[in-house]
Amino acid sequence: MFGFKCFLLHSGVDEFPHLEADEMEEALEEIKTFNSLLIVHAEDSRTIAKAPQPNGNVYDTFLK
């Protein structure tokens, strides 16, 4: 196995649940025992909750 991937928020797939921060720390401890990688989708739920909701279907509007 080259590496592993995890999400810190809902992945969009119920069969692939997100990790809490302490679970990620545990995974990192295990993964380092065989010198592998953990790729993290590290979105912050507080930042996302405060972000304005995009509207419309124009990319420039989304970026603003």
Short mmCIF file of all heavy atoms in Angstrom, two decimals:
data_model
loop_
_atom_site.label_atom_id
_atom_site.label_comp_id
_atom_site.label_asym_id
_atom_site.label_seq_id
_atom_site.Cartn_x
_atom_site.Cartn_y
_atom_site.Cartn_z
N MET A 1 0.85 -1.16 0.00
CA MET A 1 0.00 0.00 0.00
C MET A 1 0.89 1.23 0.00
O MET A 1 1.78 1.38 0.83
CB MET A 1 -0.89 -0.04 1.25
CG MET A 1 -1.73 1.15 1.47
SD MET A 1 -3.35 1.27 0.68
CE MET A 1 -4.03 -0.32 0.73
N PHE A 2 0.67 2.12 -0.94
CA PHE A 2 1.46 3.35 -1.04
C PHE A 2 1.05 4.37 -0.01
O PHE A 2 1.86 5.07 0.56
CB PHE A 2 1.32 3.92 -2.46
CG PHE A 2 2.09 5.19 -2.66
CD1 PHE A 2 3.47 5.16 -2.76
CD2 PHE A 2 1.44 6.40 -2.71
CE1 PHE A 2 4.19 6.33 -2.94
CE2 PHE A 2 2.15 7.58 -2.89
CZ PHE A 2 3.53 7.54 -3.00
N GLY A 3 -0.27 4.50 0.25
CA GLY A 3 -0.74 5.49 1.20
C GLY A 3 -2.22 5.35 1.46
O GLY A 3 -2.89 4.49 0.91
N PHE A 4 -2.71 6.23 2.31
CA PHE A 4 -4.10 6.22 2.72
C PHE A 4 -4.68 7.62 2.56
O PHE A 4 -3.95 8.60 2.52
CB PHE A 4 -4.22 5.79 4.18
CG PHE A 4 -3.67 4.42 4.44
CD1 PHE A 4 -2.34 4.25 4.75
CD2 PHE A 4 -4.50 3.31 4.39
CE1 PHE A 4 -1.82 2.99 4.99
CE2 PHE A 4 -4.00 2.05 4.62
CZ PHE A 4 -2.65 1.89 4.93
N LYS A 5 -6.00 7.69 2.53
CA LYS A 5 -6.69 8.97 2.37
C LYS A 5 -7.79 9.05 3.41
O LYS A 5 -8.46 8.06 3.70
CB LYS A 5 -7.27 9.03 0.96
CG LYS A 5 -8.16 10.21 0.66
CD LYS A 5 -8.54 10.14 -0.81
CE LYS A 5 -9.94 10.58 -1.07
NZ LYS A 5 -10.26 10.54 -2.49
N CYS A 6 -7.98 10.25 3.97
CA CYS A 6 -9.08 10.43 4.90
C CYS A 6 -9.71 11.80 4.71
O CYS A 6 -9.12 12.69 4.09
CB CYS A 6 -8.63 10.23 6.34
SG CYS A 6 -7.67 11.60 7.02
N PHE A 7 -10.90 11.94 5.26
CA PHE A 7 -11.64 13.20 5.24
C PHE A 7 -11.87 13.65 6.67
O PHE A 7 -12.08 12.82 7.55
CB PHE A 7 -13.01 13.01 4.57
CG PHE A 7 -12.94 12.74 3.10
CD1 PHE A 7 -12.71 11.46 2.62
CD2 PHE A 7 -13.12 13.76 2.18
CE1 PHE A 7 -12.66 11.20 1.27
CE2 PHE A 7 -13.07 13.51 0.82
CZ PHE A 7 -12.84 12.23 0.36
N LEU A 8 -11.87 14.95 6.90
CA LEU A 8 -12.20 15.47 8.22
C LEU A 8 -13.65 15.96 8.27
O LEU A 8 -14.15 16.32 9.33
CB LEU A 8 -11.24 16.59 8.62
CG LEU A 8 -9.78 16.16 8.75
CD1 LEU A 8 -8.92 17.30 9.23
CD2 LEU A 8 -9.63 14.95 9.66
N LEU A 9 -14.31 15.97 7.13
CA LEU A 9 -15.75 16.25 7.03
C LEU A 9 -16.39 15.12 6.25
O LEU A 9 -15.70 14.28 5.68
CB LEU A 9 -16.00 17.57 6.28
CG LEU A 9 -15.57 18.85 6.95
CD1 LEU A 9 -15.87 20.04 6.06
CD2 LEU A 9 -16.26 19.02 8.29
N HIS A 10 -17.70 15.11 6.19
CA HIS A 10 -18.40 14.06 5.44
C HIS A 10 -17.84 13.97 4.02
O HIS A 10 -17.70 14.99 3.33
CB HIS A 10 -19.90 14.37 5.40
CG HIS A 10 -20.70 13.25 4.85
ND1 HIS A 10 -20.92 13.09 3.51
CD2 HIS A 10 -21.32 12.22 5.47
CE1 HIS A 10 -21.64 12.01 3.30
NE2 HIS A 10 -21.91 11.47 4.48
N SER A 11 -17.52 12.79 3.61
CA SER A 11 -16.89 12.57 2.31
C SER A 11 -17.87 12.64 1.14
O SER A 11 -17.43 12.71 -0.01
CB SER A 11 -16.21 11.20 2.29
OG SER A 11 -17.18 10.17 2.32
N GLY A 12 -19.15 12.59 1.45
CA GLY A 12 -20.15 12.51 0.39
C GLY A 12 -20.53 11.07 0.09
O GLY A 12 -21.42 10.81 -0.69
N VAL A 13 -19.83 10.13 0.73
CA VAL A 13 -20.11 8.70 0.55
C VAL A 13 -20.28 8.09 1.95
O VAL A 13 -19.33 8.08 2.74
CB VAL A 13 -18.94 7.99 -0.19
CG1 VAL A 13 -19.21 6.52 -0.34
CG2 VAL A 13 -18.68 8.66 -1.52
N ASP A 14 -21.47 7.63 2.26
CA ASP A 14 -21.75 7.13 3.60
C ASP A 14 -20.85 5.96 4.01
O ASP A 14 -20.55 5.79 5.18
CB ASP A 14 -23.22 6.70 3.72
CG ASP A 14 -24.16 7.90 3.68
OD1 ASP A 14 -23.72 9.03 3.99
OD2 ASP A 14 -25.33 7.70 3.33
N GLU A 15 -20.42 5.16 3.04
CA GLU A 15 -19.56 4.01 3.34
C GLU A 15 -18.12 4.42 3.67
O GLU A 15 -17.31 3.58 4.06
CB GLU A 15 -19.55 3.02 2.17
CG GLU A 15 -20.87 2.35 1.91
CD GLU A 15 -21.83 3.22 1.09
OE1 GLU A 15 -21.38 4.18 0.43
OE2 GLU A 15 -23.05 2.93 1.11
N PHE A 16 -17.80 5.70 3.50
CA PHE A 16 -16.45 6.19 3.76
C PHE A 16 -16.54 7.35 4.75
O PHE A 16 -16.49 8.52 4.37
CB PHE A 16 -15.80 6.63 2.44
CG PHE A 16 -14.32 6.86 2.53
CD1 PHE A 16 -13.45 5.85 2.87
CD2 PHE A 16 -13.80 8.12 2.25
CE1 PHE A 16 -12.09 6.08 2.94
CE2 PHE A 16 -12.44 8.35 2.33
CZ PHE A 16 -11.59 7.32 2.68
N PRO A 17 -16.74 7.04 6.04
CA PRO A 17 -16.97 8.09 7.02
C PRO A 17 -15.73 8.95 7.28
O PRO A 17 -14.60 8.51 7.06
CB PRO A 17 -17.37 7.32 8.28
CG PRO A 17 -16.75 5.99 8.12
CD PRO A 17 -16.74 5.71 6.64
N HIS A 18 -15.98 10.15 7.78
CA HIS A 18 -14.88 11.06 8.10
C HIS A 18 -14.22 10.65 9.42
O HIS A 18 -14.78 9.86 10.19
CB HIS A 18 -15.39 12.50 8.20
CG HIS A 18 -16.19 12.78 9.41
ND1 HIS A 18 -17.51 12.40 9.53
CD2 HIS A 18 -15.87 13.39 10.57
CE1 HIS A 18 -17.95 12.78 10.71
NE2 HIS A 18 -16.98 13.37 11.37
N LEU A 19 -13.04 11.18 9.66
CA LEU A 19 -12.34 10.96 10.92
C LEU A 19 -12.43 12.20 11.79
O LEU A 19 -12.40 13.32 11.29
CB LEU A 19 -10.85 10.67 10.68
CG LEU A 19 -10.47 9.40 9.95
CD1 LEU A 19 -8.95 9.31 9.82
CD2 LEU A 19 -11.00 8.18 10.67
N GLU A 20 -12.54 11.98 13.09
CA GLU A 20 -12.38 13.07 14.04
C GLU A 20 -10.87 13.31 14.19
O GLU A 20 -10.05 12.44 13.83
CB GLU A 20 -13.00 12.70 15.39
CG GLU A 20 -14.49 12.45 15.34
CD GLU A 20 -15.29 13.69 14.97
OE1 GLU A 20 -14.80 14.83 15.24
OE2 GLU A 20 -16.39 13.54 14.43
N ALA A 21 -10.48 14.46 14.70
CA ALA A 21 -9.06 14.80 14.81
C ALA A 21 -8.28 13.76 15.62
O ALA A 21 -7.17 13.38 15.23
CB ALA A 21 -8.90 16.19 15.42
N ASP A 22 -8.84 13.27 16.72
CA ASP A 22 -8.13 12.28 17.53
C ASP A 22 -7.99 10.95 16.79
O ASP A 22 -6.97 10.26 16.92
CB ASP A 22 -8.79 12.09 18.89
CG ASP A 22 -10.23 11.62 18.81
OD1 ASP A 22 -10.93 11.99 17.84
OD2 ASP A 22 -10.66 10.88 19.72
N GLU A 23 -8.96 10.60 15.96
CA GLU A 23 -8.86 9.38 15.15
C GLU A 23 -7.77 9.53 14.10
O GLU A 23 -7.04 8.57 13.82
CB GLU A 23 -10.19 9.08 14.47
CG GLU A 23 -11.30 8.72 15.43
CD GLU A 23 -12.63 8.60 14.75
OE1 GLU A 23 -13.00 9.51 13.97
OE2 GLU A 23 -13.32 7.58 14.99
N MET A 24 -7.64 10.72 13.53
CA MET A 24 -6.58 10.96 12.55
C MET A 24 -5.21 10.83 13.22
O MET A 24 -4.29 10.25 12.65
CB MET A 24 -6.72 12.34 11.91
CG MET A 24 -5.69 12.60 10.83
SD MET A 24 -5.75 14.25 10.15
CE MET A 24 -5.14 15.21 11.52
N GLU A 25 -5.08 11.36 14.43
CA GLU A 25 -3.81 11.23 15.16
C GLU A 25 -3.46 9.76 15.39
O GLU A 25 -2.31 9.37 15.24
CB GLU A 25 -3.89 11.98 16.49
CG GLU A 25 -3.99 13.48 16.36
CD GLU A 25 -2.72 14.12 15.83
OE1 GLU A 25 -1.63 13.55 16.01
OE2 GLU A 25 -2.82 15.20 15.23
N GLU A 26 -4.45 8.96 15.76
CA GLU A 26 -4.22 7.52 15.95
C GLU A 26 -3.79 6.87 14.64
O GLU A 26 -2.87 6.03 14.64
CB GLU A 26 -5.48 6.85 16.47
CG GLU A 26 -5.86 7.23 17.89
CD GLU A 26 -7.20 6.66 18.30
OE1 GLU A 26 -7.67 5.68 17.67
OE2 GLU A 26 -7.79 7.19 19.25
N ALA A 27 -4.44 7.22 13.56
CA ALA A 27 -4.09 6.66 12.25
C ALA A 27 -2.66 7.03 11.88
O ALA A 27 -1.89 6.19 11.38
CB ALA A 27 -5.06 7.15 11.18
N LEU A 28 -2.27 8.28 12.13
CA LEU A 28 -0.91 8.72 11.82
C LEU A 28 0.13 7.93 12.61
O LEU A 28 1.18 7.57 12.07
CB LEU A 28 -0.76 10.22 12.10
CG LEU A 28 -1.44 11.15 11.11
CD1 LEU A 28 -1.47 12.57 11.65
CD2 LEU A 28 -0.74 11.10 9.77
N GLU A 29 -0.16 7.66 13.87
CA GLU A 29 0.76 6.87 14.69
C GLU A 29 0.95 5.47 14.10
O GLU A 29 2.07 4.95 14.04
CB GLU A 29 0.25 6.77 16.14
CG GLU A 29 0.39 8.04 16.92
CD GLU A 29 1.84 8.48 17.08
OE1 GLU A 29 2.72 7.64 17.36
OE2 GLU A 29 2.10 9.69 16.90
N GLU A 30 -0.13 4.86 13.66
CA GLU A 30 -0.05 3.52 13.07
C GLU A 30 0.66 3.55 11.73
O GLU A 30 1.54 2.72 11.44
CB GLU A 30 -1.47 2.94 12.91
CG GLU A 30 -1.51 1.57 12.31
CD GLU A 30 -0.96 0.49 13.22
OE1 GLU A 30 -0.94 0.68 14.46
OE2 GLU A 30 -0.54 -0.55 12.69
N ILE A 31 0.31 4.51 10.89
CA ILE A 31 0.88 4.60 9.55
C ILE A 31 2.38 4.85 9.57
O ILE A 31 3.11 4.32 8.75
CB ILE A 31 0.13 5.68 8.73
CG1 ILE A 31 -1.28 5.18 8.42
CG2 ILE A 31 0.87 6.05 7.47
CD1 ILE A 31 -2.21 6.25 7.86
N LYS A 32 2.85 5.61 10.55
CA LYS A 32 4.29 5.90 10.59
C LYS A 32 5.11 4.65 10.95
O LYS A 32 6.29 4.60 10.65
CB LYS A 32 4.60 7.05 11.53
CG LYS A 32 4.66 6.74 12.98
CD LYS A 32 5.06 7.99 13.75
CE LYS A 32 5.20 7.70 15.23
NZ LYS A 32 5.55 8.90 15.98
N THR A 33 4.46 3.62 11.50
CA THR A 33 5.21 2.40 11.83
C THR A 33 5.65 1.65 10.58
O THR A 33 6.56 0.83 10.65
CB THR A 33 4.38 1.45 12.73
OG1 THR A 33 3.25 0.96 12.01
CG2 THR A 33 3.96 2.15 14.01
N PHE A 34 5.01 1.90 9.45
CA PHE A 34 5.46 1.27 8.20
C PHE A 34 5.76 2.30 7.12
O PHE A 34 5.73 2.00 5.93
CB PHE A 34 4.48 0.19 7.72
CG PHE A 34 3.03 0.58 7.70
CD1 PHE A 34 2.47 1.13 6.56
CD2 PHE A 34 2.25 0.40 8.82
CE1 PHE A 34 1.14 1.48 6.53
CE2 PHE A 34 0.91 0.74 8.80
CZ PHE A 34 0.36 1.29 7.66
N ASN A 35 6.05 3.53 7.56
CA ASN A 35 6.57 4.57 6.67
C ASN A 35 5.68 4.81 5.44
O ASN A 35 6.16 4.84 4.32
CB ASN A 35 8.00 4.25 6.25
CG ASN A 35 8.72 5.47 5.72
OD1 ASN A 35 8.43 6.59 6.14
ND2 ASN A 35 9.65 5.27 4.81
N SER A 36 4.38 5.00 5.69
CA SER A 36 3.45 5.26 4.60
C SER A 36 2.98 6.71 4.66
O SER A 36 3.52 7.51 5.42
CB SER A 36 2.26 4.30 4.69
OG SER A 36 1.49 4.36 3.51
N LEU A 37 2.01 7.04 3.85
CA LEU A 37 1.49 8.41 3.76
C LEU A 37 0.02 8.45 4.13
O LEU A 37 -0.71 7.50 3.91
CB LEU A 37 1.61 8.93 2.33
CG LEU A 37 3.01 9.02 1.73
CD1 LEU A 37 2.91 9.38 0.26
CD2 LEU A 37 3.82 10.05 2.48
N LEU A 38 -0.42 9.60 4.67
CA LEU A 38 -1.84 9.85 4.88
C LEU A 38 -2.17 11.15 4.16
O LEU A 38 -1.60 12.21 4.47
CB LEU A 38 -2.18 9.98 6.37
CG LEU A 38 -3.65 10.26 6.68
CD1 LEU A 38 -4.53 9.10 6.20
CD2 LEU A 38 -3.84 10.48 8.17
N ILE A 39 -3.03 11.06 3.19
CA ILE A 39 -3.49 12.24 2.45
C ILE A 39 -4.80 12.66 3.10
O ILE A 39 -5.72 11.85 3.25
CB ILE A 39 -3.70 11.91 0.96
CG1 ILE A 39 -2.37 11.48 0.36
CG2 ILE A 39 -4.28 13.10 0.23
CD1 ILE A 39 -2.49 10.86 -1.00
N VAL A 40 -4.89 13.93 3.51
CA VAL A 40 -6.03 14.40 4.29
C VAL A 40 -6.79 15.48 3.54
O VAL A 40 -6.20 16.47 3.12
CB VAL A 40 -5.55 14.95 5.65
CG1 VAL A 40 -6.73 15.44 6.48
CG2 VAL A 40 -4.74 13.91 6.41
N HIS A 41 -8.10 15.28 3.40
CA HIS A 41 -8.98 16.36 2.97
C HIS A 41 -9.24 17.16 4.25
O HIS A 41 -10.06 16.77 5.07
CB HIS A 41 -10.29 15.80 2.40
CG HIS A 41 -10.15 15.27 1.02
ND1 HIS A 41 -10.46 16.03 -0.08
CD2 HIS A 41 -9.74 14.07 0.58
CE1 HIS A 41 -10.25 15.31 -1.17
NE2 HIS A 41 -9.81 14.11 -0.80
N ALA A 42 -8.51 18.24 4.43
CA ALA A 42 -8.47 18.94 5.73
C ALA A 42 -9.37 20.16 5.78
O ALA A 42 -9.00 21.20 6.31
CB ALA A 42 -7.04 19.31 6.05
N GLU A 43 -10.56 20.05 5.25
CA GLU A 43 -11.50 21.16 5.33
C GLU A 43 -11.87 21.41 6.80
O GLU A 43 -12.02 20.49 7.59
CB GLU A 43 -12.78 20.84 4.54
CG GLU A 43 -12.57 20.67 3.07
CD GLU A 43 -12.16 19.27 2.65
OE1 GLU A 43 -11.97 18.39 3.51
OE2 GLU A 43 -12.03 19.05 1.44
N ASP A 44 -12.03 22.68 7.13
CA ASP A 44 -12.39 23.06 8.49
C ASP A 44 -13.88 23.38 8.54
O ASP A 44 -14.35 24.30 7.85
CB ASP A 44 -11.57 24.28 8.92
CG ASP A 44 -11.95 24.75 10.31
OD1 ASP A 44 -11.67 24.00 11.27
OD2 ASP A 44 -12.51 25.85 10.42
N SER A 45 -14.63 22.64 9.34
CA SER A 45 -16.08 22.80 9.37
C SER A 45 -16.50 24.20 9.81
O SER A 45 -17.51 24.73 9.34
CB SER A 45 -16.72 21.74 10.27
OG SER A 45 -16.24 21.88 11.60
N ARG A 46 -15.75 24.82 10.70
CA ARG A 46 -16.11 26.18 11.17
C ARG A 46 -15.96 27.19 10.04
O ARG A 46 -16.80 28.07 9.87
CB ARG A 46 -15.27 26.56 12.37
CG ARG A 46 -15.57 25.70 13.60
CD ARG A 46 -14.52 25.88 14.63
NE ARG A 46 -13.27 25.36 14.04
CZ ARG A 46 -12.16 25.17 14.69
NH1 ARG A 46 -12.07 25.47 15.95
NH2 ARG A 46 -11.09 24.68 14.10
N THR A 47 -14.89 27.08 9.27
CA THR A 47 -14.68 27.99 8.15
C THR A 47 -15.76 27.80 7.09
O THR A 47 -16.30 28.77 6.56
CB THR A 47 -13.28 27.77 7.53
OG1 THR A 47 -12.30 27.99 8.54
CG2 THR A 47 -13.04 28.69 6.36
N ILE A 48 -16.08 26.56 6.80
CA ILE A 48 -17.10 26.27 5.80
C ILE A 48 -18.46 26.77 6.26
O ILE A 48 -19.22 27.34 5.48
CB ILE A 48 -17.12 24.76 5.48
CG1 ILE A 48 -15.83 24.41 4.72
CG2 ILE A 48 -18.35 24.38 4.67
CD1 ILE A 48 -15.62 22.95 4.49
N ALA A 49 -18.77 26.61 7.55
CA ALA A 49 -20.07 27.06 8.07
C ALA A 49 -20.21 28.58 7.96
O ALA A 49 -21.32 29.09 7.75
CB ALA A 49 -20.24 26.61 9.51
N LYS A 50 -19.11 29.32 8.09
CA LYS A 50 -19.15 30.78 8.03
C LYS A 50 -19.06 31.32 6.60
O LYS A 50 -19.34 32.49 6.38
CB LYS A 50 -18.01 31.38 8.86
CG LYS A 50 -18.16 31.17 10.34
CD LYS A 50 -17.14 31.96 11.13
CE LYS A 50 -15.74 31.46 10.91
NZ LYS A 50 -14.72 32.08 11.74
N ALA A 51 -18.68 30.51 5.67
CA ALA A 51 -18.48 30.97 4.29
C ALA A 51 -19.81 31.30 3.64
O ALA A 51 -20.82 30.64 3.90
CB ALA A 51 -17.75 29.89 3.48
N PRO A 52 -19.83 32.32 2.80
CA PRO A 52 -21.08 32.61 2.08
C PRO A 52 -21.41 31.47 1.11
O PRO A 52 -20.52 30.83 0.57
CB PRO A 52 -20.76 33.90 1.31
CG PRO A 52 -19.27 33.95 1.24
CD PRO A 52 -18.74 33.21 2.42
N GLN A 53 -22.69 31.23 0.95
CA GLN A 53 -23.13 30.17 0.06
C GLN A 53 -23.07 30.66 -1.38
O GLN A 53 -23.60 31.74 -1.69
CB GLN A 53 -24.55 29.74 0.40
CG GLN A 53 -24.66 29.07 1.75
CD GLN A 53 -23.87 27.80 1.81
OE1 GLN A 53 -23.98 26.93 0.96
NE2 GLN A 53 -23.03 27.66 2.82
N PRO A 54 -22.42 29.91 -2.26
CA PRO A 54 -22.39 30.32 -3.67
C PRO A 54 -23.79 30.20 -4.26
O PRO A 54 -24.57 29.34 -3.87
CB PRO A 54 -21.42 29.34 -4.31
CG PRO A 54 -21.42 28.15 -3.41
CD PRO A 54 -21.71 28.67 -2.03
N ASN A 55 -24.09 31.08 -5.20
CA ASN A 55 -25.37 30.96 -5.88
C ASN A 55 -25.15 31.19 -7.37
O ASN A 55 -24.20 31.81 -7.78
CB ASN A 55 -26.41 31.93 -5.32
CG ASN A 55 -25.92 33.37 -5.31
OD1 ASN A 55 -24.91 33.69 -5.92
ND2 ASN A 55 -26.61 34.23 -4.61
N GLY A 56 -26.04 30.64 -8.15
CA GLY A 56 -25.92 30.76 -9.59
C GLY A 56 -25.01 29.69 -10.15
O GLY A 56 -24.48 28.85 -9.44
N ASN A 57 -24.82 29.75 -11.45
CA ASN A 57 -23.99 28.75 -12.13
C ASN A 57 -22.86 29.38 -12.92
O ASN A 57 -22.36 28.79 -13.87
CB ASN A 57 -24.86 27.85 -13.01
CG ASN A 57 -25.61 28.65 -14.08
OD1 ASN A 57 -25.47 29.87 -14.16
ND2 ASN A 57 -26.39 27.96 -14.87
N VAL A 58 -22.44 30.59 -12.52
CA VAL A 58 -21.35 31.27 -13.19
C VAL A 58 -20.10 31.17 -12.30
O VAL A 58 -20.14 31.55 -11.13
CB VAL A 58 -21.70 32.76 -13.46
CG1 VAL A 58 -20.55 33.48 -14.12
CG2 VAL A 58 -22.96 32.84 -14.31
N TYR A 59 -19.03 30.64 -12.84
CA TYR A 59 -17.83 30.39 -12.04
C TYR A 59 -17.30 31.67 -11.40
O TYR A 59 -16.88 31.67 -10.25
CB TYR A 59 -16.76 29.72 -12.91
CG TYR A 59 -15.55 29.27 -12.12
CD1 TYR A 59 -15.67 28.28 -11.14
CD2 TYR A 59 -14.30 29.81 -12.36
CE1 TYR A 59 -14.58 27.87 -10.42
CE2 TYR A 59 -13.20 29.40 -11.62
CZ TYR A 59 -13.35 28.42 -10.65
OH TYR A 59 -12.27 28.01 -9.93
N ASP A 60 -17.32 32.78 -12.12
CA ASP A 60 -16.82 34.04 -11.57
C ASP A 60 -17.62 34.45 -10.33
O ASP A 60 -17.06 34.94 -9.36
CB ASP A 60 -16.86 35.13 -12.64
CG ASP A 60 -16.17 36.40 -12.18
OD1 ASP A 60 -15.01 36.30 -11.72
OD2 ASP A 60 -16.80 37.47 -12.26
N THR A 61 -18.92 34.22 -10.34
CA THR A 61 -19.76 34.52 -9.19
C THR A 61 -19.37 33.64 -8.01
O THR A 61 -19.29 34.09 -6.87
CB THR A 61 -21.25 34.31 -9.53
OG1 THR A 61 -21.57 35.12 -10.66
CG2 THR A 61 -22.16 34.65 -8.37
N PHE A 62 -19.12 32.37 -8.28
CA PHE A 62 -18.67 31.44 -7.24
C PHE A 62 -17.36 31.92 -6.60
O PHE A 62 -17.22 31.90 -5.38
CB PHE A 62 -18.49 30.04 -7.83
CG PHE A 62 -17.83 29.07 -6.90
CD1 PHE A 62 -18.55 28.50 -5.87
CD2 PHE A 62 -16.49 28.74 -7.05
CE1 PHE A 62 -17.95 27.60 -4.99
CE2 PHE A 62 -15.88 27.84 -6.18
CZ PHE A 62 -16.62 27.27 -5.15
N LEU A 63 -16.43 32.36 -7.40
CA LEU A 63 -15.14 32.81 -6.88
C LEU A 63 -15.28 34.05 -5.99
O LEU A 63 -14.58 34.19 -5.00
CB LEU A 63 -14.16 33.11 -8.01
CG LEU A 63 -13.70 31.91 -8.82
CD1 LEU A 63 -12.80 32.36 -9.98
CD2 LEU A 63 -12.98 30.90 -7.94
N LYS A 64 -16.20 34.94 -6.34
CA LYS A 64 -16.42 36.14 -5.54
C LYS A 64 -17.06 35.77 -4.22
O LYS A 64 -16.85 36.35 -3.21
CB LYS A 64 -17.29 37.13 -6.29
CG LYS A 64 -16.57 37.74 -7.47
CD LYS A 64 -17.49 38.66 -8.24
CE LYS A 64 -16.77 39.17 -9.47
NZ LYS A 64 -17.61 39.96 -10.35
#
